Protein backbone atom coordinates (compact mmCIF):
# COMPACT_ATOMS: atom_id res chain seq x y z
CA UNK A 1 0.00 0.00 0.00
CA UNK A 2 1.19 3.49 -0.91
CA UNK A 3 0.29 6.40 1.36
CA UNK A 4 1.22 10.04 0.99
CA UNK A 5 0.70 12.46 3.88
CA UNK A 6 0.72 16.23 3.31
CA UNK A 7 3.15 15.83 0.42
CA UNK A 8 4.45 19.24 -0.68
CA UNK A 9 6.97 20.39 -3.25
CA UNK A 10 8.25 23.97 -3.53
CA UNK A 11 10.98 24.75 -6.07
CA UNK A 12 13.83 27.21 -5.37
CA UNK A 13 11.96 29.77 -7.50
CA UNK A 14 9.18 29.72 -4.91
CA UNK A 15 6.74 27.93 -7.22
CA UNK A 16 4.63 25.45 -5.25
CA UNK A 17 4.15 22.37 -7.44
CA UNK A 18 2.33 20.27 -4.82
CA UNK A 19 0.17 21.45 -1.93
CA UNK A 20 -0.19 19.02 0.99
CA UNK A 21 -1.42 15.98 -0.97
CA UNK A 22 -2.66 13.05 1.09
CA UNK A 23 -3.95 9.89 -0.57
CA UNK A 24 -3.78 6.09 -0.46
CA UNK A 25 -3.35 3.58 -3.29
CA UNK A 26 -3.59 -0.15 -2.67
CA UNK A 27 -4.70 -3.57 -3.89
CA UNK A 28 -5.14 -4.01 -7.63
CA UNK A 29 -6.18 -0.41 -8.15
CA UNK A 30 -5.53 1.22 -11.49
CA UNK A 31 -5.38 4.92 -10.57
CA UNK A 32 -5.09 7.66 -13.19
CA UNK A 33 -3.95 11.16 -12.25
CA UNK A 34 -5.42 13.82 -14.51
CA UNK A 35 -5.26 17.60 -14.72
CA UNK A 36 -3.99 20.44 -16.92
CA UNK A 37 -0.35 20.90 -17.84
CA UNK A 38 1.58 22.28 -14.88
CA UNK A 39 -0.88 20.89 -12.33
CA UNK A 40 1.86 18.84 -10.61
CA UNK A 41 1.07 15.36 -11.95
CA UNK A 42 4.60 14.42 -13.00
CA UNK A 43 6.02 16.02 -9.86
CA UNK A 44 3.76 13.89 -7.69
CA UNK A 45 4.77 10.66 -9.44
CA UNK A 46 8.46 11.53 -9.29
CA UNK A 47 8.27 12.52 -5.61
CA UNK A 48 7.08 9.01 -4.75
CA UNK A 49 10.41 7.42 -5.70
CA UNK A 50 12.36 10.61 -4.93
CA UNK A 51 13.50 11.28 -8.46
CA UNK A 52 12.23 14.67 -7.30
CA UNK A 53 12.80 15.41 -3.62
CA UNK A 54 9.65 16.54 -1.81
CA UNK A 55 9.91 19.66 0.33
CA UNK A 56 7.86 18.20 3.17
CA UNK A 57 5.40 15.44 3.97
CA UNK A 58 5.89 11.69 3.77
CA UNK A 59 5.59 8.86 1.26
CA UNK A 60 5.09 5.42 2.79
CA UNK A 61 5.20 2.12 0.92
CA UNK A 62 3.97 -0.80 3.00
CA UNK A 63 4.83 1.14 6.15
CA UNK A 64 8.33 2.25 5.05
CA UNK A 65 8.79 6.03 4.99
CA UNK A 66 10.62 6.54 1.69
CA UNK A 67 11.28 10.20 2.43
CA UNK A 68 13.38 9.28 5.48
CA UNK A 69 15.70 6.81 3.74
CA UNK A 70 19.40 7.36 3.10
CA UNK A 71 20.75 7.07 -0.45
CA UNK A 72 21.80 3.45 0.10
CA UNK A 73 18.48 2.57 1.69
CA UNK A 74 16.59 4.30 -1.11
CA UNK A 75 18.46 2.23 -3.71
CA UNK A 76 17.13 -0.94 -2.09
CA UNK A 77 13.63 0.49 -1.65
CA UNK A 78 13.41 1.46 -5.32
CA UNK A 79 13.43 -2.23 -6.19
CA UNK A 80 9.83 -2.19 -4.99
CA UNK A 81 8.81 0.71 -7.26
CA UNK A 82 8.50 0.03 -10.97
CA UNK A 83 8.78 3.18 -13.11
CA UNK A 84 7.62 3.62 -16.71
CA UNK A 85 8.84 6.79 -18.39
CA UNK A 86 7.30 9.00 -21.07
CA UNK A 87 10.45 8.88 -23.20
CA UNK A 88 11.05 5.17 -22.48
CA UNK A 89 14.45 5.78 -20.76
CA UNK A 90 15.99 2.77 -22.49
CA UNK A 91 19.57 2.14 -23.65
CA UNK A 92 19.10 2.28 -27.42
CA UNK A 93 22.20 0.30 -28.40
CA UNK A 94 21.38 -2.64 -26.11
CA UNK A 95 19.03 -5.49 -26.87
CA UNK A 96 15.49 -5.85 -25.62
CA UNK A 97 16.59 -8.54 -23.17
CA UNK A 98 19.47 -6.46 -21.83
CA UNK A 99 17.12 -3.52 -21.23
CA UNK A 100 14.52 -5.69 -19.51
CA UNK A 101 17.12 -7.35 -17.28
CA UNK A 102 18.27 -3.91 -16.13
CA UNK A 103 15.15 -4.07 -13.98
CA UNK A 104 16.96 -6.71 -11.91
CA UNK A 105 20.10 -4.63 -11.32
CA UNK A 106 19.00 -3.80 -7.78
CA UNK A 107 19.08 -7.50 -6.92
CA UNK A 108 22.64 -8.34 -8.03
CA UNK A 109 26.09 -7.24 -6.89
CA UNK A 110 27.82 -4.26 -8.49
CA UNK A 111 30.32 -6.59 -10.15
CA UNK A 112 27.57 -8.78 -11.61
CA UNK A 113 25.74 -5.67 -12.77
CA UNK A 114 28.89 -4.36 -14.48
CA UNK A 115 29.35 -7.69 -16.28
CA UNK A 116 25.60 -8.00 -16.98
CA UNK A 117 25.57 -11.41 -15.33
CA UNK A 118 22.17 -12.40 -14.01
CA UNK A 119 20.93 -15.57 -12.31
CA UNK A 120 19.16 -18.04 -14.60
CA UNK A 121 15.88 -17.49 -12.77
CA UNK A 122 16.07 -13.76 -13.60
CA UNK A 123 16.58 -14.58 -17.27
CA UNK A 124 13.66 -17.01 -17.26
CA UNK A 125 11.48 -14.38 -15.58
CA UNK A 126 12.46 -11.85 -18.25
CA UNK A 127 11.39 -14.27 -20.99
CA UNK A 128 8.02 -14.73 -19.25
CA UNK A 129 7.45 -11.00 -18.96
CA UNK A 130 8.42 -10.44 -22.61
CA UNK A 131 5.72 -12.93 -23.59
CA UNK A 132 3.29 -11.12 -21.30
CA UNK A 133 3.87 -7.75 -22.99
CA UNK A 134 3.73 -9.20 -26.51
CA UNK A 135 7.44 -9.13 -27.28
CA UNK A 136 8.14 -12.85 -27.27
CA UNK A 137 10.88 -13.73 -29.77
CA UNK A 138 12.21 -10.16 -29.89
CA UNK A 139 14.67 -10.46 -27.02
CA UNK A 140 17.76 -10.14 -29.26
CA UNK A 141 16.58 -7.10 -31.22
CA UNK A 142 18.28 -3.79 -30.50
CA UNK A 143 15.95 -1.26 -28.96
CA UNK A 144 16.74 1.33 -31.65
CA UNK A 145 15.14 -1.05 -34.19
CA UNK A 146 11.76 -0.95 -32.43
CA UNK A 147 8.66 1.20 -32.88
CA UNK A 148 7.53 3.60 -30.17
CA UNK A 149 4.86 1.21 -28.95
CA UNK A 150 7.34 -1.66 -28.77
CA UNK A 151 9.81 0.50 -26.85
CA UNK A 152 7.12 1.39 -24.34
CA UNK A 153 6.40 -2.33 -23.90
CA UNK A 154 10.09 -2.89 -23.19
CA UNK A 155 9.87 -0.18 -20.54
CA UNK A 156 6.83 -1.86 -19.02
CA UNK A 157 8.56 -5.25 -19.05
CA UNK A 158 11.62 -3.75 -17.34
CA UNK A 159 9.41 -2.33 -14.58
CA UNK A 160 7.37 -5.52 -14.09
CA UNK A 161 10.45 -7.77 -13.94
CA UNK A 162 11.40 -5.95 -10.73
CA UNK A 163 8.42 -7.63 -8.99
CA UNK A 164 7.47 -4.20 -7.63
CA UNK A 165 4.93 -3.38 -4.95
CA UNK A 166 3.61 -0.51 -7.07
CA UNK A 167 3.94 0.49 -10.71
CA UNK A 168 4.28 4.18 -11.62
CA UNK A 169 3.84 5.52 -15.15
CA UNK A 170 4.63 9.08 -16.20
CA UNK A 171 2.64 9.91 -19.35
CA UNK A 172 3.31 6.52 -21.00
CA UNK A 173 0.95 7.18 -23.94
CA UNK A 174 1.85 10.78 -24.79
CA UNK A 175 4.06 9.92 -27.78
CA UNK A 176 1.99 6.99 -29.06
CA UNK A 177 -0.74 6.79 -31.68
CA UNK A 178 -4.33 6.20 -30.44
CA UNK A 179 -4.44 2.48 -31.20
CA UNK A 180 -1.11 1.81 -29.50
CA UNK A 181 -2.18 3.95 -26.54
CA UNK A 182 -5.20 1.70 -26.00
CA UNK A 183 -2.94 -1.36 -26.24
CA UNK A 184 -0.62 0.04 -23.56
CA UNK A 185 -3.53 0.93 -21.26
CA UNK A 186 -5.02 -2.56 -21.64
CA UNK A 187 -1.62 -4.05 -20.85
CA UNK A 188 -1.24 -1.97 -17.69
CA UNK A 189 -4.79 -2.90 -16.62
CA UNK A 190 -4.02 -6.60 -17.07
CA UNK A 191 -0.79 -6.29 -15.09
CA UNK A 192 -2.59 -4.61 -12.19
CA UNK A 193 -5.22 -7.35 -12.12
CA UNK A 194 -3.12 -10.43 -12.84
CA UNK A 195 -0.07 -9.50 -10.78
CA UNK A 196 -1.81 -7.78 -7.85
CA UNK A 197 0.22 -4.63 -8.48
CA UNK A 198 -1.44 -1.23 -7.96
CA UNK A 199 -0.76 1.12 -10.88
CA UNK A 200 -0.56 4.92 -10.67
CA UNK A 201 -0.46 6.65 -14.05
CA UNK A 202 -0.08 10.33 -14.91
CA UNK A 203 -1.99 10.91 -18.13
CA UNK A 204 -3.26 13.80 -20.26
CA UNK A 205 -5.81 11.83 -22.29
CA UNK A 206 -8.94 11.98 -20.13
CA UNK A 207 -10.82 9.54 -22.35
CA UNK A 208 -8.17 6.89 -21.76
CA UNK A 209 -8.20 7.56 -18.02
CA UNK A 210 -11.99 7.25 -17.87
CA UNK A 211 -11.98 4.15 -20.06
CA UNK A 212 -9.42 2.13 -18.12
CA UNK A 213 -8.89 3.45 -14.59
CA UNK A 214 -10.71 2.26 -11.48
CA UNK A 215 -10.17 5.62 -9.85
CA UNK A 216 -9.21 9.14 -10.82
CA UNK A 217 -7.15 11.72 -8.95
CA UNK A 218 -7.62 15.26 -10.23
CA UNK A 219 -4.95 17.92 -9.67
CA UNK A 220 -5.26 21.65 -10.21
CA UNK A 221 -2.39 24.03 -9.37
CA UNK A 222 -0.72 21.39 -7.22
CA UNK A 223 -3.82 20.66 -5.17
CA UNK A 224 -5.75 17.39 -5.11
CA UNK A 225 -9.25 18.60 -5.96
CA UNK A 226 -10.94 15.35 -7.01
CA UNK A 227 -10.71 11.72 -5.88
CA UNK A 228 -13.38 9.46 -7.29
CA UNK A 229 -14.48 6.91 -9.87
CA UNK A 230 -14.68 7.64 -13.60
CA UNK A 231 -18.47 7.69 -13.24
CA UNK A 232 -18.16 10.57 -10.77
CA UNK A 233 -16.24 12.73 -13.25
CA UNK A 234 -19.13 15.03 -14.20
CA UNK A 235 -19.00 18.24 -16.21
CA UNK A 236 -18.82 20.16 -12.93
CA UNK A 237 -15.93 18.15 -11.46
CA UNK A 238 -14.15 18.32 -14.83
CA UNK A 239 -14.42 22.11 -14.57
CA UNK A 240 -12.91 22.04 -11.10
CA UNK A 241 -9.92 20.01 -12.29
CA UNK A 242 -9.21 21.82 -15.54
CA UNK A 243 -10.49 25.34 -14.96
CA UNK A 244 -10.38 25.72 -11.19
CA UNK A 245 -14.11 26.29 -10.94
CA UNK A 246 -16.03 26.01 -7.69
CA UNK A 247 -18.15 22.92 -7.07
CA UNK A 248 -21.87 23.14 -6.51
CA UNK A 249 -23.14 21.90 -3.15
CA UNK A 250 -24.27 18.61 -4.70
CA UNK A 251 -21.06 18.02 -6.60
CA UNK A 252 -18.96 18.91 -3.55
CA UNK A 253 -19.97 15.58 -2.06
CA UNK A 254 -18.10 13.86 -4.89
CA UNK A 255 -14.92 15.82 -4.48
CA UNK A 256 -11.93 14.62 -2.53
CA UNK A 257 -12.79 13.73 1.08
CA UNK A 258 -10.79 15.44 3.81
CA UNK A 259 -7.42 13.79 4.18
CA UNK A 260 -7.70 11.89 0.91
CA UNK A 261 -9.39 8.60 0.08
CA UNK A 262 -9.16 5.86 2.72
Amino acid sequence: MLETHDLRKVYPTGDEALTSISTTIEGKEFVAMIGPSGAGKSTFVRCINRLTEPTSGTVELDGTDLTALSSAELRDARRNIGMIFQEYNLVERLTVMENVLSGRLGYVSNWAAFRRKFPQEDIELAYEILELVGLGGMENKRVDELSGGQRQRVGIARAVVQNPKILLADEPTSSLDPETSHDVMELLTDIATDHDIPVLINIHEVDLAVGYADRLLGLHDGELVFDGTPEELTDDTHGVIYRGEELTTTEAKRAIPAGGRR
Side-chain angles (χ1 to χ4, degrees), residues 41-106:
K41 302 185 301 297
S42 289
T43 300
F44 180 77
V45 170
R46 294 174 70 87
C47 276
I48 291 173
N49 57 13
R50 287 176 54 188
L51 289 176
T52 296
E53 288 289 346
T55 302
S56 61
T58 60
V59 178
E60 295 184 11
L61 184 61
D62 285 357
T64 298
D65 182 0
L66 302 179
T67 57
L69 300 181
S70 67
S71 297
E73 292 169 332
L74 181 61
R75 177 182 181 273
D76 290 339
R78 279 178 174 157
R79 297 184 303 190
N80 297 317
I81 307 171
M83 184 73 181
I84 301 165
F85 297 87
Q86 176 182 0
E87 299 298 331
Y88 318 129
N89 202 31
L90 304 173
V91 182
E92 300 278 308
R93 62 183 176 79
L94 296 183
T95 66
V96 168
M97 177 61 81
E98 288 172 317
N99 272 278
V100 172
L101 282 173
S102 69
R104 301 297 299 174
L105 288 174

Side-chain angles (χ1 to χ4, degrees), residues 35-196:
S37 296
K41 302 185 301 297
S42 289
T43 300
F44 180 77
V45 170
R46 294 174 70 87
C47 276
I48 291 173
N49 57 13
R50 287 176 54 188
L51 289 176
T52 296
E53 288 289 346
T55 302
S56 61
T58 60
V59 178
E60 295 184 11
L61 184 61
D62 285 357
T64 298
D65 182 0
L66 302 179
T67 57
L69 300 181
S70 67
S71 297
E73 292 169 332
L74 181 61
R75 177 182 181 273
D76 290 339
R78 279 178 174 157
R79 297 184 303 190
N80 297 317
I81 307 171
M83 184 73 181
I84 301 165
F85 297 87
Q86 176 182 0
E87 299 298 331
Y88 318 129
N89 202 31
L90 304 173
V91 182
E92 300 278 308
R93 62 183 176 79
L94 296 183
T95 66
V96 168
M97 177 61 81
E98 288 172 317
N99 272 278
V100 172
L101 282 173
S102 69
R104 301 297 299 174
L105 288 174
Y107 295 89
V108 300
S109 67
N110 290 335
W111 177 240
F114 175 76
R115 299 176 62 211
R116 299 198 188 100
K117 293 294 184 181
F118 296 90
Q120 185 60 34
E121 55 265 32
D122 285 0
I123 296 172
E124 292 173 0
L125 175 62
Y127 274 112
E128 291 177 13
I129 300 301
L130 283 172
E131 289 288 344
L132 172 69
V133 302
L135 294 178
M138 300 184 70
E139 61 274 2
N140 293 320
K141 276 188 169 290
R142 279 177 48 137
V143 165
D144 55 11
E145 299 174 349
L146 304 181
S147 68
Q150 289 171 331
R151 292 183 191 194
Q152 193 58 281
R153 288 172 181 266
V154 174
I156 293 171
R158 177 186 57 193
V160 175
V161 83
Q162 292 179 219
N163 286 327
K165 293 180 178 179
I166 189 168
L167 197 58
L168 308 177
D170 188 12
E171 298 187 35
T173 61
S174 64
S175 58
L176 304 178
D177 61 77
E179 183 176 353
T180 304
S181 295
H182 280 282
D183 291 342
V184 167
M185 293 295 283
E186 287 179 5
L187 177 57
L188 291 173
T189 301
D190 291 341
I191 289 170
T193 301
D194 297 341
H195 289 257
D196 293 330

